[in-house]
Each structure stands twice: as structure tokens, then as C-alpha cells.
Amino acid sequence: MVSKRKLSKVDASEESCKTDLPKTKKSRISDKENASAFCGLENEGVFEELLRTSGIVLKAGEGQNEIAVDQMAFQKKLCLALEKHPTYPAVVKQFISGLESHIKDRNQFKNCLLPCTPVRTEGSRNLVHSYCESLIKLLLGIKILQPAVITLLLEKIPEFFFDIVGTFGTNFPRLIVNQFKWLDRLLDSQDLVKKLMQMVSVSPVPIQHDIITSLPEILEDSQQSEVARELSCLLKQGRRLTVPILDALSRLDLDAELVAEVRQSAMTIVPSVKLEDLPVVVKFILQNVKAADAVEVISDLRKNLDLSSCVLPLQMHSSQKKIKSQVQASSSLSQVTTSQNCVKLLFDVIKLAVRFQKDVSEAWIKAIENSTSVSDHKVLDLIVLLLIHSTNTRNRKQTEKVLRSKIQLGCMPEQLMQNAFQNHSTVIKDFFPSILALAQVFLHSAHPAVVSFGSCMYKQAFAAFDSYCQQEVVTALVTHVCSGSETELDISLDVLTDLVVLHTSLLMRYATFVKTILDSTQKLNPCQIRKLFYILSTLAFSQKQEGSYIQDDMHMVIRKWLSSTVPNHKQMGIIGAVSMIGSVALKRNEGDGASLERPELNSERDGQLSTLLDLVGFCCEQTPEIRALYYDEFASLIEKQKGNLDLQLLDEFGKSLVEDFPSDFVVDLSPTVHGSFLFPVKSLYNLDEDQSQEAIAINLLPLVSQSELGRVTAGASHQSKRAVSPMCLSPCFRLLRLYTAEQNSGSLEEIDALLGCPLYLTDLEVEGKLESLSKQEREFLCSLLFYALNWFREVVNAFCQQQDAEMKGKVLTRLQNITELQNVLGKCLAVTPGYVPPPATFDSEAPEAAPSINAAGPARKRSGRKKKADGSKAGSADRSQADDSSEGNQPDTELSELDKTAADREAGNPLAQLQSYRPYFRELDLEVFTVLHCGLLTKSVLDTEMHTEACEVVQLGPAELCFLLDDLCWKLEHVLPSGSTRRVPFPKERGNKDIGFSHLCQRSPKEVATCVVNLLKPLCKHMENMHNYFQAAVQNQGAEDEPGVNIQEHQLMSSCYQLLLLTFRSLFAWNGFSQHENTDLLRSALQVLADRLKPGETEFLLLEELISESFQYLLNFQQSVPSFHCAYILTQLLIAIAEKPMSGWKKEKMASLAKQFLCQSWVKPSGDREKGSQFNSALHTLLCVYLEHTDNILKAIEEISGVGVPELMNSAKDGCSSTYPTLSRQTFPVFFRVMMAQLESSVKSIPAGKPSDSSEVQLEKLLRWNIAVRNFHILINLVKVFDSRPVLSICLKYGRLFVEAFLKLAMPLLDHSFKKHTDDVQSLLKTLQLSTRQLHHMCGHSKIHQDIGLTNHVPLLKKSLEQFVYRVKAMLAFNHCQEAFWVGILKNRDLQGEEILTQASEERGSDEDEEDSAESPTEEEPSGSDTDGGEERGGERGGAGPGPSAARP
């Protein structure tokens, strides 16, 4: 201890020397000074004399006092000299007076406060240590002088209150306080500390600072707690002394209670403390954390620590930079730098705590994990998680798991990460390796939100960090692209695309890395090739001469691909060539100088491009598919760069292509067509019959005939002339209309004749004729119809936005033509098995696409089409491939494509029969849906009022509406992922994902969502029309004159209603609405809905009010939904809207709505009840919604099991419950599964019993457990009536989970409430024992029937039942009632309670047949309150497991 104090003493004094000594050279004492000093000896007083005789020579001026003896020897000599002095004790006062006189001179006082210099004489042995204390400190070590010296020093401090200490000046107060540190002995430490604290109360801040920081070295151990409390009070009074107080407190040894109190004081000042003091406060809080309260402390710190105050100076600087003067700007920049340095220090403090304190690291992760609300999460959380990930290797997995979980729940939006990178890049840069590692891991995730977060990390890191980090980011992205993983590839290319758009010049530095992807193109599909060449073309042509080496490489690769004989390589060559043309043809800004360079560059670059285009043209002549792809790619380029292309260059590249269209596909309309064809040629679908002069037609059937015959007789190809294929008709027209619109500022007047011109087809009245045709003729007819449909689709794409009324009418007529042709095509496909249609999209891998469609599509189509032909039968047999074994146990996430398709078929939607052939139809553009602004016109209105004028009325029929909505739904499902969507980890046929969505994928999800929001008004009108239609249908239900027609119309309108609801759900369930930047879009969407209820009143409503109004608007549709699947989608839609914030009244409404749908009888127009696996899936979801949103789940379960199920048991074989018509014998497993799962889930929310619970709390928990156990008993006993395999499986699975929850949560409650509520506890255990006995019987039943699916559950269930036995025994022992418990053997019985004879024959008749019973002294219960059946082991009674009991003590 002594050595430690000595060492510290030296350190402290050394420090004071370093800080306070003036850095001046010591001058030698002149002879004159020596002489005067010698003369002074005669006049010296007691003070000087005693010091000199004891070994210290006082010096005046700059010289330090000299000591000639050891310090201890000096103190002993001086003490003896004073005590033996003749005038002792008066000599002490004289000595102090001498000291006081001596230190009146500031230089002499300074010498006394600074260390003495040891005297070194030549030739003599120096006994003095090289370092000596100051004179004052040596005097303080002498017992008889100490009190007087302390008083003298304290009295001197006020003299220096108003001194201004410069850089090299002497800080006298600090030197004085330093004298009190580390004294070997203090005679009256209480008095000294008291006086110091008094001095603190009156001193200026710098002196307060010095005194407080010195206290830990002055105090004795016994005084630390008292002084700590005083300092704690001082801390609360003001913020100026925060740093010294916390610094002092951190060096005191305090008890736990005081530490907690002081820490709480520090915690309260965190939000308001100065930024520069914040690191000290946080350091104090963290270094005193103990494992027990770590999570609580860190949680409080998280709430109080707000980094937004640190960001403010930075934002002020950036916003005011332009208007400030130079001086102000530099001042503001200094403030920003200080702010950033403070934040850096703060995270350094946290980093040290995390690295060296295991509890802090784990508590911080736990605190973040425990936060549930999205608003609770801050930038701080993300930075701390990155910090822990980079600092603690042992916590990396845990950190990654928490971060992933938070992203999936939407608690860590990308906006949060952007704020972190933008405002705290200096801090985050230190964690770059962790950022890179996490981004790489996140890109492998199966959750879209996590993948998106990972890609955003790459983008932010590239934008915020230096060149080294940027290079690492690009390298990582290139590695992802070359990895071969489809998802990684897509996301990485998307990130590179964003970087090349936002940071072209920065990415140009690393173009060499990006270019290496060209070596791995064999793994890329056409869509990815398009992205890659867009990136490379942008880099190659945006930076003048810098990108020339990339251009050369691209030319080389493209020429190699175009010269290849492999079709895929040619595809890639075409895509690459068009990308290069697009980059060359972009308009150049006058400011960038490129326009000035064009004449010089033209010769060389255009030479290369003309060579490339010649090669492309040569490839196209050989293969129609490649030519069609060239048309499509060029058209997509024009559409994507609309308005940005150089029209002169566009004309140069594209004119020859569009000139092909009239010569190849258009002929003059004539009554007869010469030539021999498989079918007679007939001109159909002419909308311009009144304009007979100069009429034209699309020469379709002759071209298809030529193409098909060419396929049969392959040798008859014409080498001299390019063969024209009908495959190129739609792509070439798409290019023509986009080229025309670009050249004529959007006008299509030059080609508007193509909208109404007829097609050369054949007679399409095929009813009854198809069976007589040969296979070749049927396939020819199918191909003809596919080409015609695709032509009409492209025509609608082209002219859908024309404002002229006549043009609008023609577009609607073309939509009618499409629906008519689809009906004919359906009939043809039904009798043409194995037919593969001609391709309509040319940028996909056809070999992969065909087999899956060919295998399932036509067969599915046939069954569906026959049903449609029969008229009214809309059955569900064609959905038998669904997994019936699950009994509707689908998670409550989404019924996506498959479910929608099945539901469409069930509703009789004719479009559903063609779903398998979607990849063989041309894609509709998003602009087509502007047609939805036309009103709806039902068949009945057409037939009665407007039959003769139908072609002139610009309104939409139900069939056309259904067609458009069906396509819109598929598009939204593809591009707007919902919050619950997960990616399949190992998808089959991954490459087919984007077939039919090529144009859609060029738009961002936000653009698509904006487009749909603009369509909401007409969609609402259509939905209101549906609502009115079905309400009228319900009112007129008894008066149907033509049931067949009505049923067909009902099915079509029902399909429209369902598709409308699906469109709304896809939009409002989009996970993009959770992002901050899309809040305005969400508001616009909700405003449209709310405006339907309160026209003109919604502009200034808050978001919450808009949500409520929209919710109420959609809730009004509940009365008119025509099918259970529509009810399911409406419920999902309302949940999507209500979840934005789910308030209490909305939960109540949701429960009420779900119950209403469950209590409704759902009958098809044909009179049959709805059923099937699709119905079961929707029922499962609606039942879950009801039980999750109801205020009393146990009461709801009891009502269904106590009212609905008995009604079902008393009904006929095919009957249902009268209260719950959806509960039938077919749907009972669905109800049973949901009730068991929700019961088990609800008991987990009952808090576990604690010893501290009051009697009332215990009684309330017992009551809830009593109801839960009673419900469990009712449900388990239903197995005696409904003993199907799925029900048994549900019982075994959820029975075990319920018992486990009871053991974990209820048994602690019974331990502490047994004595007070004995009867309630015993009743509870008796009821549960009856249920566990039934579970034991199920185990026996499973073994007897040797059902592997059921017996898999048995071991775990038996284990839980056995644990229950011993836990009850432990509970009785805890309450000193162990004698009320004994163990016997349960006989194996079947579900009805009958003994299983194989075991009965092995047992002695005299044995007890109960495991145990709980009985009172006066009453015996032979059937006992057995809590569990014993476990049989080999049939031997002696080896039987325990059969527990709960008994009255």
C-alpha cells in the first residue's frame, strides 16, 4: 500500500511539474546574489534557520529550493528541532508566521509549491533521491505543522480567484490543491474535506474543477460515500461541473445503491448535456454497469441518447454555407468538425465498453432486440450494432440475427441507414469491413427487405467513403455477379446500375473491374445482359476518350456473339448492340463539349457501328426470332429514352427497320386472296367498312401458312429473298408506333389506319367443327389465333392513350375482339393436346420455358374450358392438385398466384383457363389501363337499351373489364411485393420469373404504384358498380327468368369484383409504403378512398384520419361480397390498411367483420355450398383473423366449441352448424386446428405466477387458466366424435404444446396459490388430468394403428406428460402435501375408452386399473383426477411409468 501511494505521489507531482513549470532556462546564480544570500543569513528568522539546519536552502527569484538530505531525514530533523526548541510550542507559530511572510512573494510561494532540487556536490556521495517533494508537501507531512499549514494554504486560495492563467502562467490554485494529494497521514481529514467542499461552493468554475478532480486522491475510504452524495447533488444543480464530478465519482469506491443513484442522476442529464461533455457522461454510465441491471441501464441510455442534436450543426452549415461570409463559414465549419469529433469520441467510449465489458455488449443487443415499436429505433441502434459486429467476434452471429430480424419487421428502414451514412460517415467508416461482410450476407437472404437493405448498404458505402472503400464495394459487387446465384446477380447489377446513374465519374475509376464481368456472361440471362451492357455503355460513352478501351472490348464481345451459331449468344449480341446504339444516340448537352467533338468522332465510331449493324442485319435475316428480338429491343430503347434520343441518329439507325412493316405485313384489302391455304381466307374485324377506298388489311393467314409450310418443307427456303415471318408482326409494329411517336412528338396520325384495319383470318365459327380437323389444321388454327390476339394486344398498347372519341371506341372494340378471340382459342386448345404456341417474347430462354407450360397448361385448360362450355358449372375439381392433407392449414400470409388462379376458375372466369399460356401473349403496357376510366356496361343494359348502338358507346363491358383487371393483378403481384412475401430459397425454373413482364420490369415499383394510385378513382367507381349489382341481385333473388344467363353473368361480375379487391390489396399491402419517401403516395391513395365518403373534405385530414375514413369506406362493401374468397380478400385489404397503425376500434371492427363472414352461408349461384382446399385456406385465415382480433379469445373459442360444434354434431351428414354455417364436417379440421393453435398461443400470454403476486392477481390468473383448461378439455374430447387422422395429428401436436405451456407458466402459479386457493387448484388439475388421459389414449391408438405420421408425435408428448406428473408431485412437496400423491399404472385404451385387449390379457385382473386418484379423507374417486397416463414399457406392470395425481392435502 505504501509503495502504491509513493508511486502515485511521484506521478502526481510529475504531472504538476509538466503542466505548471515555466519553460525557461535556469540561470546561474551570480556572485552578487550569492553574496547577498550569505549576508542574509545574519538576518534570518526562526523559519529560515530551522529549514537551513534541517537541510533545505530557500531560494529567491527563479531558482528552486534546494534540499541536501533525504526527505524523511529532513522531516525528522525539523520535527525534532521544533519539539526541542526552548520556546516550543510557541516556536510553531513563529515558524508558520515565517512561512506566511515568505510566501507573500509569489515567486517564493511558487518555489515552495514546486519540487525541491537535490544538492549535488562534486566528490561527495549524494544521498538525496533524484526527485523530491515540494517544501509545502514536506511540511504537511510533519504532524505538528499540518493543521496550521492546511489552514494557511486554504486561506491563500481566494487570492487567486480572479487570476487569468495564460498558456505558460502558473496555476496557483491547482498547485495548492495538489499538495493535499496522497498524504501519508491526515490528522483531521473530515475538517479538510469539509473546508474543500465549502471552497467549491464559493470558487470560480476552474478552481471548482481542480478541487473536485483532486478529491479521490485526498479522501480517506470512510469519507467516499458521503462526498459522493454531495457530488451527486452538485451534479443535479448545474451542467458546468458535469465532467469533473463524473471523473471524480468514477474513481471512488461506492456501494451498489449509491452507484445506482449517481448513475440515475447522470442518466437524467444525458439529453441536455453539452455535446463535448457527452462522452464523459456515457463513459461513467457504462463503466459502472453490472450484469444484473445492464439491460435496464442500456435501455434507458438508448432512450436518452439522441444523435440528432449532433447532426444539427452539420445541417446548418450545409444550408447556410452559400449565404455566409468567409469568416462565418469557417466558424461554422469549425463547429461541424467539433461536433463530428465529439460524436467520434462518444462512439470510442462505447467501443471500449463493448470490447472490454461482456455485459455491456450483450445488454445493448438485448435492449435493441426488446424494442418493438418502429419509432423506438434510432440511427444510434444501427451504428451500435455495426460497432459490436466489428469489435466483438463472439457476438457477430447474434448481432447479424438481430439486425436481420429488425429489417424484416420494418424497424430498420433504409431511411435510417441513409441518415447514418450521411450524418456520421466518419464514425461508420471504421466499421467498413463489417458493413461489407453484412451486405454480402444480406444479399443471400430469402427475405426481399433484407436483400434490399444489403444493396442499399453497398450504395451508401460507395457514396460516403473514400476510394479504397469504393474499390472494395465494386469488387464485392462484381464477385456477386460472377457467383452464379440468380438473386445476387440481379441485385448486384441493379446496384451497379444505380451507381452508374448517380456517380458516373466516380465509378469510371473502377471500370476495369466492372469490365471483367464480360468474362462470365455465360451465367447471365438476356435481362441481365441488358443491365450489364447499359452499365458498360454508360461508362464507355459518357467520359469522352476515357471509355474508348471499354468500347473496344464491347465491340469484340458483341461481334463474337453475333457470329456464334448458338441462339442464346445471338440473343445476347443483339441486346448488347442495341445498348451501344442507345448510348451513341443519346442527346449530348451543349455544356459537356461532346456535341463539339461529334464531327471528329463520327468517322471512326460510325464506322464501327455500321459494321456492327451490318452484322446484326445479317443475323436477323437468318432467324425470325432474332429479328423479332431486334425489333423489340430497339422499341424498348426508344420507349426508355423517350425524348432523350438524337432524332437524326435515330433516323439513321431505325428508318430501314420500320420501312419493313408495310412491305412485309400490309396488303391492299381485296374481296379474294389468291393462293392455296389450309383454310379459306376471310377478312375479319374491320372497323373502317365505310372507308372502302384505299383500304388495307394485315396479311396474317397467308403469312402463317407460308411460315407453317416452310416449317414442314424445310428445304424450300428462298436464299435470295428474306423470309417474312408472322412472328415479327407484333414486334415490328411496336417499333413502328414508338418510332413514329418519337419522330412526330407523340402523334400516331401517320399509322392510325392500322387500328381499324381488318385481318386476313378464316371463319372462326368453330363450334362442332374442331373434332373433324386434322392435328396439323388444329395447330395451324391455334397459331393463327395466337398471332391475331398478339396483334390486337399491340394495337391496344399503341392507341390506348388517344383522346379522340372515335379512336377510344375502336380501342374498346379491339378489347372486345380480344375477349371473343380468347373464347375461340380456349375451345381450340381444349382439343389440341401437346401444342406449343409460337413465341411472343424473345428475350427469354425458350427451351426452359416450354416444358413446364406444355406439361400442365393444356390439360388444365381442357378441363376448365369444358366446364365453361357447359355453361354454369364452376367446380373445383380442377384444383385437386392442391395439398388436401394440410386441411387448409395455410399460413395467414398470402394466397398468391396459384390461389388467385384457382379462385378465378371457381368463379367461372374464362381468362383463368388461359393462365398457363401467359408467356405466349404480348405484354400489355401500363398505359392500357387508362381505358378503365370508361364506365361499366353490363350485358343486360346492352341487350335491352343499346343493342343497335353498342359499337358507338364508349363504355367498358364486364368481359373486357375482367380481362384488364386480370392482367393488372398479375402485374401488381409481380412488381409490388407485400410485407409478408418471402423469396423461395431454391426456386424451380428461376429464369422464367420475368417472362411476360419485360416492359414492366423497366419501371421501378414506385412508378407502378403511382400509376395504380392514379387509377384508383375509376377502380372505386367500378367497385361501387359491383356493389350495387350484387345488392340488387340479392334483392331480386327470387325472380330469375333466365337462370343460365344470370349465372354466367353473375360469375363474370363476381370475377371482376374479386379482381378489383385483389388490385386494391396488392397496392395497399405493398411493403414500399413503410418507407418514408412513399408517405405522400400513400396519403394520395388513401385520400382517393376517403373522398368517396366525404367529397371535398379530405385535403387537410391527418394520415390517421385518412386511414380511418378509407377503412370505413371499404368496410361498406362487406354486405355485397359475392363469394367467400372475395370476403377473404376484403378482410386482407382491411388489415393492410388498418395495420398502418392498428387502433382498438379497428381491431374490434376486424373481429366483427371476420365473425360475420364465418356466420354467413356461402352458396354458389348454382345452389351448391362453397367448399374445397381453396375455401379451406381462406377459412383458415379468416378464423385466425377473428380469434386474433377479438377482445376475449378464450370466450370466442368456447363459443365455437360449445355452440357451433354441438350444432354440427346434431345436423345431417352433409349439414353444418346453424350459428356458424362455414363449420361443416369437411371444414371441422380447419376450425379445430385454428382453435387449438390459438388456445395454445393465448395461454402463453398469461404471465407466469410470482411469489410476490397478491391473492387477487393469483385468483385472476387461476380463473383464466381454468377457462383455458376447460376449453382444452372440450376440444380434446371432440376426438371421440371427429376421429379423422388430421384431427388426431392436430391433437397430438398442440396437446403437447399446451401441456408444455402449462408446465412453464401455470405450475409456478399453482406452487404459490395452492394454500390460499386449494379448491380452485385441485379443480384445475382434475380437469386437465382428464384431458391428459385422453391424450394418453390417443398415443395408444396411434401405436395400434401403426400410423407413422401420428406415432412421430408420441415420444415428445409422452415426455411432456411424464414431466407433468413429476411437476405436480414437486408442487405438492413444495406445499408439504407429498402424501396426497401416489403413482399407479394407466391401462392402454382406445379413443372411446375401451381397453386395448393385448395389454389387458397380460395384466392380472386384481391389479388397480387407475394410475392414482386424488381423494379426500371422506370421499373416494375411483376415476381419479389423474393428470397423466403412465408410460407402458413392454407391457410389464412393474415397469410402468408414473401416473400422477393432484390431490387434496
Side-chain angles (χ1 to χ4, degrees), residues 309-475:
S309 59
C310 316
V311 179
L312 194 60
L314 182 64
Q315 291 173 339
M316 281 173 55
H317 171 64
S318 60
S319 62
Q320 297 176 6
K321 187 165 53 177
K322 294 180 182 178
I323 58 171
K324 284 187 176 181
S325 66
Q326 191 64 37
V327 176
Q328 287 174 316
S330 62
S331 164
S332 176
L333 186 60
S334 168
Q335 187 184 1
V336 171
T337 309
T338 307
S339 169
Q340 290 175 340
N341 289 341
C342 292
V343 176
K344 190 91 169 59
L345 280 173
L346 172 65
F347 282 103
D348 284 344
V349 166
I350 297 173
K351 188 174 183 179
L352 285 171
V354 163
R355 174 173 287 173
F356 298 113
Q357 293 170 257
K358 181 185 174 185
D359 298 332
V360 171
S361 177
E362 292 177 354
W364 212 304
I365 294 173
K366 194 71 179 171
I368 295 172
E369 200 172 1
N370 290 344
S371 294
T372 51
S373 169
V374 177
S375 57
D376 286 348
H377 294 77
K378 307 176 182 179
V379 170
L380 174 74
D381 295 331
L382 178 61
I383 299 178
V384 168
L385 285 175
L386 292 173
L387 186 151
I388 295 172
H389 188 277
S390 65
T391 307
N392 274 3
T393 50
R394 66 176 180 274
N395 290 119
R396 275 188 186 166
K397 285 287 180 189
Q398 190 183 0
T399 310
E400 185 185 311
K401 181 183 173 186
V402 170
L403 187 54
R404 189 192 297 267
S405 165
K406 292 296 178 183
I407 296 165
Q408 289 175 4
L409 294 170
C411 297
M412 289 273 182
E414 289 175 13
Q415 183 64 43
L416 201 72
M417 179 176 51
Q418 289 169 14
N419 293 342
F421 275 89
Q422 287 167 10
N423 300 325
H424 307 290
S425 57
T426 51
V427 174
I428 292 185
K429 188 184 171 186
D430 293 344
F431 317 136
F432 177 69
S434 282
I435 291 169
L436 210 56
L438 284 169
Q440 287 171 349
V441 170
F442 287 169
L443 250 61
H444 295 106
S445 172
H447 199 286
V450 179
V451 176
S452 175
F453 196 88
S455 65
C456 195
M457 286 176 90
Y458 277 130
K459 285 185 270 191
Q460 293 297 327
F462 186 88
F465 297 155
D466 58 19
S467 57
Y468 165 74
C469 298
Q470 289 169 349
Q471 181 177 316
E472 289 297 308
V473 168
V474 173
T475 308

Side-chain angles (χ1 to χ4, degrees), residues 77 281 312 315 382 539 654 882 986 1034 1043-1044 1268 1334:
K77 278 185 181 180
V281 180
L312 194 60
Q315 291 173 339
L382 178 61
L539 291 174
F986 301 103
V1034 170
Q1334 185 65 29

Side-chain angles (χ1 to χ4, degrees), residues 1391-1403:
L1391 294 179
Q1392 307 306 325
E1394 301 295 329
E1395 285 187 35
I1396 295 172
L1397 296 177
T1398 50
Q1399 183 179 355
S1401 61
E1402 294 174 8
E1403 293 189 356

Side-chain angles (χ1 to χ4, degrees), residues 93-349:
K93 286 185 180 179
Q94 294 174 9
F95 186 87
I96 295 299
S97 299
L99 173 61
E100 189 175 355
S101 303
H102 181 74
I103 63 176
K104 279 181 182 176
D105 180 84
R106 285 205 172 189
N107 280 334
Q108 291 179 352
F109 187 27
K110 177 179 161 186
N111 287 341
C112 293
L113 293 172
L114 294 176
C116 297
T117 305
V119 178
R120 300 179 184 277
T121 17
E122 289 184 14
S124 68
R125 199 170 159 206
N126 188 12
L127 300 174
V128 185
H129 194 274
S130 60
Y131 173 79
C132 298
E133 296 286 7
S134 68
L135 172 61
I136 296 291
K137 195 147 193 173
L138 291 172
L139 296 181
L140 284 170
I142 299 170
K143 183 178 176 182
I144 54 177
L145 294 176
Q146 191 184 75
V149 175
I150 287 174
T151 305
L152 177 62
L153 289 175
L154 292 175
E155 287 171 354
K156 291 288 286 183
I157 290 178
E159 293 180 18
F160 307 100
F161 273 5
F162 305 107
D163 279 17
I164 298 173
V165 181
T167 309
F168 300 109
T170 304
N171 190 334
F172 279 98
R174 185 180 297 171
L175 285 175
I176 292 170
V177 174
N178 283 346
Q179 308 306 309
F180 302 130
K181 291 183 180 180
W182 302 111
L183 292 175
D184 290 333
R185 185 174 55 174
L186 270 170
L187 296 180
D188 191 354
S189 60
Q190 292 280 3
D191 183 59
L192 172 61
V193 172
K194 184 179 177 184
K195 287 177 179 175
L196 284 172
M197 293 307 291
Q198 287 173 352
M199 189 67 69
V200 167
S201 63
V202 297
S203 305
V205 173
I207 297 176
Q208 289 178 325
H209 194 292
D210 291 333
I211 294 173
I212 291 169
T213 50
S214 302
L215 282 174
E217 288 83 28
I218 298 172
L219 295 175
E220 291 187 353
D221 293 348
S222 59
Q223 297 173 283
Q224 292 193 2
S225 295
E226 184 186 344
V227 173
R229 289 187 192 283
E230 288 188 49
L231 291 177
S232 178
C233 295
L234 206 58
L235 184 66
K236 296 173 187 173
Q237 290 171 13
R239 301 285 179 264
R240 295 181 303 172
L241 297 174
T242 300
V243 173
I245 290 173
L246 292 178
D247 180 47
L249 288 171
S250 65
R251 290 180 287 142
L252 296 179
D253 186 20
L254 311 177
D255 59 78
E257 186 182 343
L258 187 58
V259 167
E261 187 183 325
V262 176
R263 186 171 57 228
Q264 192 55 43
S265 300
M267 195 74 79
T268 55
I269 68 169
V270 167
S272 55
V273 76
K274 283 184 183 176
L275 190 56
E276 54 266 29
D277 295 343
L278 191 57
V280 179
V281 180
V282 173
K283 182 180 180 182
F284 174 78
I285 292 170
L286 291 178
Q287 74 181 14
N288 288 291
V289 170
K290 298 289 183 281
D293 54 359
V295 177
E296 186 182 348
V297 171
I298 299 295
S299 298
D300 286 347
L301 184 60
R302 270 187 69 249
K303 288 174 189 170
N304 291 318
L305 202 55
D306 187 11
L307 293 183
S308 58
S309 59
C310 316
V311 179
L312 194 60
L314 182 64
Q315 291 173 339
M316 281 173 55
H317 171 64
S318 60
S319 62
Q320 297 176 6
K321 187 165 53 177
K322 294 180 182 178
I323 58 171
K324 284 187 176 181
S325 66
Q326 191 64 37
V327 176
Q328 287 174 316
S330 62
S331 164
S332 176
L333 186 60
S334 168
Q335 187 184 1
V336 171
T337 309
T338 307
S339 169
Q340 290 175 340
N341 289 341
C342 292
V343 176
K344 190 91 169 59
L345 280 173
L346 172 65
F347 282 103
D348 284 344
V349 166

